[in-house]
Amino acid sequence: MDTTNTIQALQEYGDLVREQMVENLMNNRSFHSGDLARSIVNTVHANSLTAVIEVNAWYGITVEEGIGRKSGKMPPIAPIKNWIKQSGLRPKAGATVEQFAFAIARNIGKYGTNPKPRPFAAPAVQSVKEQRGDLLIENAMGKDIKEDLDVAFKQSAQWQ
């Protein structure tokens, strides 16, 4: 059976989910450098008729579920330095970015982190599904089935 319409609908469905995820990141104030948004990828697998939307940034689950870091060990300083620079934060007068990052890392090591969840993925999937996703897929599959039946009927008419 030709599934061209279904595959196109799955691509559109996945793209809609991805766009909604990015919008959710912006709305819940989780959009900082754009790395998380850029890490979201939609891939359609034609052989299994599935769309897979992946969040490839390692910290996506942290944002989605609010998973924190336990106290006891300092995190690496380099990512904190990058975050400071990207945020445009400035250390107190006389302190360097390195010292500021070290102070933050030491504090995280001592107290851990307890971020609140900022779901962006699950609500996006639910929103697209409710708004038009299911209908989009149903219509495309119906069109593929109709086209396949039309071909089958034409072929059977030729044999008679």
Side-chain angles (χ1 to χ4, degrees):
M1 181 166 115
D2 182 19
T3 57
T4 303
N5 296 304
T6 303
I7 292 168
Q8 288 174 346
L10 284 168
Q11 183 67 48
E12 184 178 344
Y13 189 107
D15 289 344
L16 288 169
V17 170
R18 185 194 175 289
E19 289 168 12
Q20 185 63 54
M21 288 170 74
V22 171
E23 185 176 321
N24 290 350
L25 284 169
M26 290 181 179
N27 290 341
N28 70 18
R29 302 183 69 191
S30 300
F31 196 90
H32 182 66
S33 67
D35 290 344
L36 181 56
R38 282 190 297 276
S39 82
I40 303 168
V41 179
N42 171 34
T43 307
V44 174
H45 299 281
N47 57 345
S48 61
L49 293 178
T50 55
V52 177
I53 298 97
E54 297 174 294
V55 179
N56 293 315
W58 65 268
Y59 57 92
I61 193 74
T62 302
V63 174
E64 180 78 10
E65 296 182 3
I67 298 169
R69 182 182 178 100
K70 293 181 182 178
S71 61
K73 186 177 178 186
M74 275 181 37
I77 295 173
I80 297 172
K81 281 175 42 179
N82 291 338
W83 174 77
I84 291 169
K85 290 174 184 174
Q86 289 174 350
S87 300
L89 296 174
R90 292 204 167 97
K92 288 184 179 180
T96 66
V97 172
E98 180 86 21
Q99 291 168 327
F100 188 33
F102 181 83
I104 292 171
R106 185 179 57 214
N107 196 46
I108 291 171
K110 187 173 181 179
Y111 299 107
T113 61
N114 189 20
K116 65 178 181 175
R118 291 170 287 165
F120 66 97
V125 172
Q126 189 64 31
S127 174
V128 170
K129 181 182 182 330
E130 289 173 0
Q131 288 178 8
R132 62 184 269 208
D134 285 348
L135 189 59
L136 182 71
I137 302 299
E138 287 173 15
N139 288 342
M141 290 180 86
K143 191 173 180 182
D144 283 338
I145 291 168
K146 182 185 178 312
E147 289 173 1
D148 202 47
L149 287 172
D150 287 347
V151 169
F153 284 134
K154 286 178 185 175
Q155 287 175 348
S156 68
Q158 290 175 353
W159 289 99
Q160 294 179 359

